[in-house]
Amino acid sequence: MLSKKVIGWVLGIILLSGVSFAAETVRVVVMPFDIYSKQDNSAYLKKDIADAVKKNLKSDGAVIVEPVIPGFSWETAPKSVENIQKICVQLGADLVIWGSLTRFEQKFSVDAKMLAAYGEKTPTLFYGEGENIETLPGIVKKLSREFSLKLFRRDKVAKVQVSGNKRIEADAIERIIKTKPGDVYLARSLSDDLKAVYAMGYFEDIRIESEDTSKGKVITFNVTEKPTIHSIRFKNNREFQEDKLKENLTLKTGAILNLYNIQSNVRRLESMYKDKNYHNARITYEIKPLDNNQADVEFIFDEGDKVKIRSINFIGNKAYGSKELKKVMKTSEKGFWSWLTSSGELNREDLNQDAARVAAFYQNKGYIQAKVGDPEVVFKDNQIEITIKIEEGLQYKVGKVNVSGDLLLSADKLLEKLNIRKETYFNREVVRNDMLAITDIYSNDGYANAEVSPKVDKNDKTLIVDITYQIKKGHQAYFEKIIIGGNTKTRDKVIRRELQVYEDELYSGAKIKRGVRNLQRLDFFQDVKINTSKGSTDDKLILKLDVAEKPTGTFSFGGGYSSVENAFIMGSVAQRNLFGLGQILELRGQIGSVTQRYTLSFTEPWLFDIPLSAGFDIYNWKRDYDTYYRNSKGGTLRAGYPVFDYTRLYLSYGYDISDIEEVTEDASTLVIDMQGRYITSSVTTTLRYDSRDKAFNPTEGGDHSVSVQYAGIGGDVGFTKYIAESGQYFPLFWGTTGLLHARAGAVQQTADKKLPDYERFYLGGINSLRGFRWSDVCLYDEYGEKIGGTAFMQFNVEYIIPLIKEAGVVGVLFYDTGNVYDGYSNISFSGLRQTAGFGFRWYSPMGPLRIENGYILDPKEGESRSGRWEFTMGGAF
């Protein structure tokens, strides 16, 4: 709204300028204009010109009188002055206007006359002309303006100018002003212009001044600009840092200071605090003027305390108590640990979803008609009370379950797939899952558009519902096209070979799901989206796959401390999708107090465009085994091929040259006897089943393998080593995961060959029995010195808890047990060593990090029961 001061300026303009609206009302009659033209299509102008004149005069304040006299016709009426004045008096008008338009081709002229009802007998003449008939409206408007000047004796505007502006261009202001040179000087028009300029938001003060000149009025808009914002400051803010507050402001330094904008930003800041449950936060502002028409804006915060939920109340619940219903909700009341956790905090989105969760809880317990109202939230000082109204209705049991419609399998076989038959009470979630199960069966047989709808017949007397799954299979569908999008680096063929579906092939929902899982396991993409659309015919579908790629090339360099290595530094350069072909190339190195290792690896996952993987590793490895150093160089050639679902057969050949050096005096005789150089030439075959959903922190799937290594194809070392390993991940409640892992092995020495100590088995450390040091679980020779066993087994149980899901941080509780033996015939489940503990894992940018603390549950003499922290980089098991 304009201030009283501004309104005063407008009144002042009207008084000082000597301009006023006519004290008397001027009544004008406008007669149709005569048309003189050879063009037949000009007759319409007779009325149009008169109407335009009427409209312009009316807007200037004249009262238009229509020429309505019984039997009167302007065309036949005499045009003498006396007769025209007589007609004007009869109509009760003060003046009459009439005229004619003469047109020759496009050129035209307009002659108009104005005559008063009384007095002067000579009419006032007006004239206008144009080169093109399209300019006629402008000529008529100009004549109307001259009529107004004559009628009301008003001044013309000679000039419009702007003064006082420094930053805002005068042209920008003048474009807003509607009053132009040549216009009638009208106070109400200037009032509108004043409001329009003020609405620009740039000015603190606007004064309109007028000056009389021989050519008319000179109008000056004298403006005072608002200051610009020099800086934005915050005072007494604790919950949010300044950077976060500024991100949510629309105010910027250098912008025009606008009070409405500042107040809008206050509301934005208060909304930020309400989202954090500071519902009593109050924010004010101060404007501090500076030189050069600038000002600082300071927001002052009174945050108050967080407002937390004191109570969640239910009205209408009878079957289930409030305590049980609260467990269903994500929103919770303020608890003892609320200062550390988020308990008691209000999140509107979570609360709305909680109402749906409570409704689903009832509907999954047989209360088909249960209704849950919108939560009512009441703020009381520093506390919140939430009330949820519930209409439970009646509880229904499951009666008959049937299937009908287009049956691919027999009714009995389909019913075997339905879990609702096992439920006592109706459960909406189980029904929904049954629908998906049936849909999957049909989609795997090509029926991509199969529809399954449950018909629920309830009996309000017996409280029993009969459920019939009605099935419409539709048409079998084929993939007409497979369109891949979003991949800017990865080749199409790399994606297509993982999909396992092909164009012109019968639709299969299971294969699509498997393909998406394969793509996610590649770890090339942040997201994989699948959409299907209708093809050229009803039995054809277009499969659209959109991927969002993520960086697959990494360079890392860092250091740390490991329980095995102590201090170490490491670096690696890797590309997991070389040239977009899915090839893996990696060079890595690690230098620590125990290990120095350099490795170059390359893998081609699809050699010859078939699922035959091939690759090589070249390494240089020096390791401290406590009583000796092993310095080895060598390489491995490897290949793998899928033989079953999720199952691959691997074959590799390895060649290793190891120098055993710096053997200590307390080493076992086995180690002392093997000083020198040893060559190992071996072949290893492995059968591995891996259905994990991801390589690190998996949540479901299994990783099972059996391998046999034969060494002795030349060289000094000869043995046959058997290792079997099994790990199964399974999802549990609240997003947690369980792991059962077992590993066992045995090695047999080849006659006339050596079996080095480093090829024997030791347990202990973060990858076997946590709580023991590496190689602490072993055998001893006759002198009491450590030697490795020729057989072992270990078992690990883990409970994995997501902590920060977005960052890949999880917590883990574990139990480990196992031992090593002299020969597989001595393996026994008695005497297994046992540990337990906890830890944390993080899929960091440098690679998987693990830190875990194990406690020995059955310590022997000389062993400590106290926990032992261990740290490493790499995957688990």
Side-chain angles (χ1 to χ4, degrees):
M1 296 176 62
L2 291 174
S3 66
K4 292 181 179 178
K5 184 177 181 182
V6 175
I7 295 171
W9 292 332
V10 177
L11 293 174
I13 293 167
I14 296 171
L15 295 173
L16 290 175
S17 65
V19 176
S20 65
F21 295 102
E24 298 180 19
T25 301
V26 179
R27 297 169 61 82
V28 182
V29 59
V30 181
M31 295 299 183
F33 276 51
D34 294 329
I35 306 299
Y36 303 107
S37 173
K38 292 183 178 181
Q39 284 88 341
D40 294 334
N41 60 350
S42 299
Y44 70 94
L45 295 174
K46 178 183 294 189
K47 184 175 183 297
D48 286 358
I49 294 174
D51 289 344
V53 172
K54 292 176 185 178
K55 181 178 179 182
N56 291 328
L57 290 178
K58 187 176 181 181
S59 67
D60 285 340
V63 175
I64 304 300
V65 179
E66 296 297 335
V68 181
I69 299 175
F72 171 77
S73 171
W74 176 251
E75 286 79 5
T76 59
K79 302 297 189 297
S80 65
V81 172
E82 292 78 8
N83 191 52
I84 290 175
Q85 284 184 322
K86 181 181 177 181
I87 293 171
C88 193
V89 171
Q90 282 183 288
L91 293 172
D94 299 311
L95 299 106
V96 61
I97 295 172
W98 77 99
S100 64
L101 178 141
T102 303
R103 181 179 179 187
F104 180 74
E105 293 182 352
Q106 288 299 316
K107 293 183 178 181
F108 68 90
S109 63
V110 180
D111 298 279
K113 299 175 182 180
M114 178 186 291
L115 181 66
Y118 302 96
E120 183 64 46
K121 297 295 184 181
T122 303
T124 304
L125 303 180
F126 302 87
Y127 178 77
E129 63 179 2
E131 295 292 327
N132 192 305
I133 196 66
E134 293 178 357
T135 62
L136 178 61
I139 297 299
V140 172
K141 186 173 183 180
K142 179 181 177 183
L143 289 173
S144 300
R145 191 180 302 122
E146 293 177 1
F147 294 156
S148 293
L149 290 173
K150 185 68 176 178
L151 286 171
F152 302 109
R153 295 183 179 85
R154 289 176 177 167
D155 295 319
K156 280 186 178 181
V157 174
K159 186 179 181 181
V160 178
Q161 59 189 16
V162 177
S163 68
N165 56 308
K166 297 177 181 178
R167 295 186 309 272
I168 310 302
E169 296 289 338
D171 288 346
I173 303 172
E174 290 172 358
R175 281 196 296 269
I176 301 298
I177 299 171
K178 296 289 182 65
T179 302
K180 303 297 180 185
D183 287 351
V184 176
Y185 179 74
L186 295 174
R188 67 174 180 272
S189 297
L190 293 176
S191 175
D192 292 339
D193 289 335
L194 178 69
K195 294 176 183 178
V197 175
Y198 191 81
M200 293 176 72
Y202 300 142
F203 307 109
E204 195 171 65
D205 188 15
I206 306 170
R207 289 179 293 108
I208 301 178
E209 300 170 350
S210 66
E211 180 184 353
D212 292 321
T213 68
S214 60
K215 295 181 179 180
K217 294 281 190 180
V218 175
I219 309 300
T220 303
F221 285 78
N222 200 325
V223 300
T224 301
E225 294 176 339
K226 288 182 178 180
T228 56
I229 299 173
H230 174 260
S231 67
I232 301 171
R233 299 200 297 264
F234 305 94
K235 184 178 180 181
N236 299 333
N237 55 301
R238 299 185 305 276
E239 178 65 19
F240 295 101
Q241 296 295 322
E242 286 193 6
D243 291 345
K244 188 66 175 177
L245 293 171
K246 286 182 178 179
E247 284 179 10
N248 284 272
L249 293 180
T250 59
L251 286 181
K252 303 295 179 184
T253 56
I256 300 296
L257 194 151
N258 186 308
L259 292 181
Y260 296 108
N261 198 8
I262 292 175
Q263 292 164 0
S264 172
N265 278 269
V266 167
R267 292 191 291 271
R268 291 174 67 93
L269 295 174
E270 287 178 343
S271 179
M272 285 179 63
Y273 273 83
K274 287 179 181 178
D275 289 343
K276 285 288 187 178
N277 289 297
Y278 287 90
H279 293 275
N280 293 326
R282 297 292 178 266
I283 302 172
T284 57
Y285 63 90
E286 287 186 3
I287 299 172
K288 299 181 179 180
L290 302 174
D291 295 336
N292 301 319
N293 200 27
Q294 292 184 318
D296 288 340
V297 179
E298 184 174 59
F299 292 96
I300 304 166
F301 294 80
D302 179 9
E303 295 179 342
D305 296 324
K306 271 192 174 185
V307 180
K308 295 209 170 186
I309 300 169
R310 180 181 67 182
S311 62
I312 300 175
N313 305 307
F314 297 92
I315 297 176
N317 58 308
K318 298 176 182 178
Y320 301 97
S322 297
K323 186 176 181 180
E324 188 167 1
L325 295 178
K326 289 175 188 177
K327 291 179 182 178
V328 179
M329 301 172 63
K330 189 173 182 179
T331 306
S332 63
E333 296 168 338
K334 177 181 178 181
F336 179 78
W337 298 103
S338 61
W339 58 274
L340 184 62
T341 67
S342 61
S343 68
E345 293 189 3
L346 175 64
N347 183 307
R348 292 281 185 175
E349 185 176 347
D350 286 344
L351 184 59
N352 291 334
Q353 291 177 356
D354 283 336
R357 291 187 183 101
V358 173
F361 172 80
Y362 270 95
Q363 291 167 359
N364 292 338
K365 298 291 185 180
Y367 292 88
I368 300 175
Q369 299 168 320
K371 297 179 182 178
V372 178
D374 294 333
E376 298 177 5
V377 181
V378 178
F379 295 90
K380 291 186 177 180
D381 298 327
N382 291 328
Q383 294 178 329
I384 301 171
E385 291 184 358
I386 297 174
T387 302
I388 301 175
K389 295 180 180 179
I390 299 173
E391 293 181 16
E392 291 182 337
L394 302 173
Q395 189 178 31
Y396 291 81
K397 291 185 177 181
V398 175
K400 297 177 182 179
V401 180
N402 291 305
V403 290
S404 66
D406 304 324
L407 304 184
L408 281 185
L409 306 176
S410 66
D412 290 340
K413 288 186 177 180
L414 283 175
L415 289 172
E416 289 176 2
K417 308 288 184 181
L418 305 181
N419 290 319
I420 192 62
R421 301 167 68 217
K422 305 173 185 177
E423 300 289 326
T424 303
Y425 293 97
F426 180 85
N427 188 312
R428 191 174 298 276
E429 184 176 356
V430 174
V431 170
R432 187 182 299 111
N433 291 335
D434 285 345
M435 292 167 59
L436 294 175
I438 296 173
T439 302
D440 286 344
I441 293 171
Y442 278 71
S443 70
N444 293 338
D445 209 33
Y447 295 95
N449 300 313
E451 296 179 4
V452 181
S453 56
K455 180 183 177 185
V456 178
D457 295 319
K458 57 186 179 66
N459 188 317
D460 294 335
K461 293 182 179 180
T462 61
L463 298 183
I464 290 177
V465 292
D466 296 330
I467 306 167
T468 301
Y469 293 88
Q470 298 175 325
I471 305 170
K472 294 180 180 180
K473 66 181 181 180
H475 297 286
Q476 279 188 315
Y478 296 81
F479 292 114
E480 181 177 13
K481 290 182 182 178
I482 299 175
I483 302 173
I484 297 173
N487 54 316
T488 58
K489 177 183 178 182
T490 308
R491 309 283 182 91
D492 272 15
K493 72 173 186 177
V494 173
I495 298 174
R496 287 180 184 274
R497 69 195 185 194
E498 299 294 339
L499 286 180
Q500 298 190 349
V501 295
Y502 307 95
E503 293 174 348
D504 297 324
E505 183 185 55
L506 195 63
Y507 178 90
S508 172
K511 286 185 177 181
I512 290 177
K513 291 178 182 178
R514 173 63 184 276
V516 171
R517 184 164 182 170
N518 289 346
L519 290 172
Q520 290 172 336
R521 281 161 55 90
L522 287 177
D523 202 27
F524 296 169
F525 311 108
Q526 291 178 337
D527 192 18
V528 179
K529 292 181 179 178
I530 289 282
N531 287 301
T532 57
S533 59
K534 184 180 177 182
S536 58
T537 60
D538 290 340
D539 64 343
K540 292 183 180 180
L541 290 175
I542 296 174
L543 178 67
K544 180 67 183 300
L545 175 76
D546 286 306
V547 298
E549 292 181 315
K550 65 181 180 182
T552 54
T554 59
F555 171 77
S556 63
F557 182 83
Y561 185 87
S562 163
S563 55
V564 175
E565 292 288 343
N566 296 324
F568 67 90
I569 60 173
M570 62 172 296
S572 70
V573 179
Q575 175 53 261
R576 294 181 291 104
N577 189 12
L578 189 64
F579 307 123
L581 295 170
Q583 298 169 338
I584 304 170
L585 179 65
E586 182 177 17
L587 174 64
R588 59 184 181 272
Q590 178 176 326
I591 301 175
S593 59
V594 174
T595 301
Q596 297 178 30
R597 184 168 186 169
Y598 309 94
T599 306
L600 175 66
S601 299
F602 174 80
T603 301
E604 165 55 72
W606 280 65
L607 189 63
F608 310 126
D609 283 331
I610 61 174
L612 171 65
S613 64
F616 65 83
D617 305 289
I618 302 172
Y619 59 85
N620 185 342
W621 188 5
K622 185 174 183 179
R623 178 164 183 175
D624 181 357
Y625 283 81
D626 291 339
T627 57
Y628 64 94
Y629 278 96
R630 178 191 174 195
N631 192 350
S632 60
K633 300 179 180 66
T636 302
L637 294 174
R638 45 188 165 74
Y641 193 82
V643 290
F644 303 110
D645 200 25
Y646 294 113
T647 307
R648 294 182 74 91
L649 179 65
Y650 295 92
L651 182 65
S652 63
Y653 171 75
Y655 189 84
D656 177 270
I657 303 173
S658 293
D659 291 314
I660 308 302
E661 305 169 338
E662 301 182 38
V663 178
T664 62
E665 294 181 356
D666 59 347
S668 66
T669 55
L670 177 65
V671 173
I672 293 173
D673 292 342
M674 71 177 195
Q675 290 188 82
R677 170 168 290 188
Y678 291 87
I679 296 176
T680 304
S681 176
S682 65
V683 175
T684 304
T685 181
T686 302
L687 186 66
R688 183 180 182 185
Y689 172 91
D690 185 2
S691 63
R692 295 175 299 168
D693 55 349
K694 47 190 173 181
F696 189 76
N697 286 349
T699 58
E700 62 178 330
D703 186 6
H704 317 293
S705 64
V706 177
S707 67
V708 179
Q709 180 184 6
Y710 174 74
I713 308 173
D716 310 300
V717 175
F719 60 84
T720 303
K721 184 181 290 186
Y722 308 89
I723 294 179
E725 185 171 8
S726 177
Q728 185 67 40
Y729 295 86
F730 44 92
L732 299 173
F733 45 86
W734 299 333
T736 59
T737 303
L739 166 65
L740 296 177
H741 175 261
R743 190 167 182 262
V747 60
Q748 293 179 328
Q749 184 174 348
T750 303
D752 301 327
K753 298 283 186 178
K754 296 285 188 178
L755 177 62
D757 179 71
Y758 54 78
E759 294 291 357
R760 292 171 174 262
F761 302 117
Y762 291 86
L763 292 181
I766 197 167
N767 289 319
S768 57
L769 302 186
R770 289 158 282 193
F772 288 101
R773 294 179 182 273
W774 180 82
S775 78
D776 270 3
V777 181
C778 59
L779 299 179
Y780 296 88
D781 64 11
E782 63 270 25
Y783 302 105
E785 303 296 341
K786 289 183 177 181
I787 60 172
T790 55
F792 80 99
M793 66 177 179
Q794 74 178 66
F795 303 94
N796 312 93
V797 179
E798 291 187 353
Y799 178 56
I800 303 167
I801 309 162
L803 300 178
I804 308 175
K805 193 171 183 179
E806 298 78 10
V809 178
V810 302
V812 59
L813 303 175
F814 63 81
Y815 168 79
D816 300 335
T817 184
N819 212 335
V820 297
Y821 307 91
D822 183 15
Y824 64 85
S825 59
N826 292 320
I827 291 178
S828 171
F829 284 96
S830 62
L832 295 177
R833 306 306 308 273
Q834 302 178 68
T835 65
F838 64 95
F840 304 94
R841 295 172 186 166
W842 175 37
Y843 199 179
S844 77
M846 288 185 61
L849 299 180
R850 298 170 57 200
I851 179 168
E852 294 167 11
N853 189 7
Y855 296 82
I856 301 175
L857 301 180
D858 56 346
K860 296 182 178 180
E861 185 177 350
E863 294 177 343
S864 174
R865 183 188 292 271
S866 61
R868 171 177 165 75
W869 283 103
E870 296 184 278
F871 168 82
T872 189
M873 299 188 68
F877 304 122

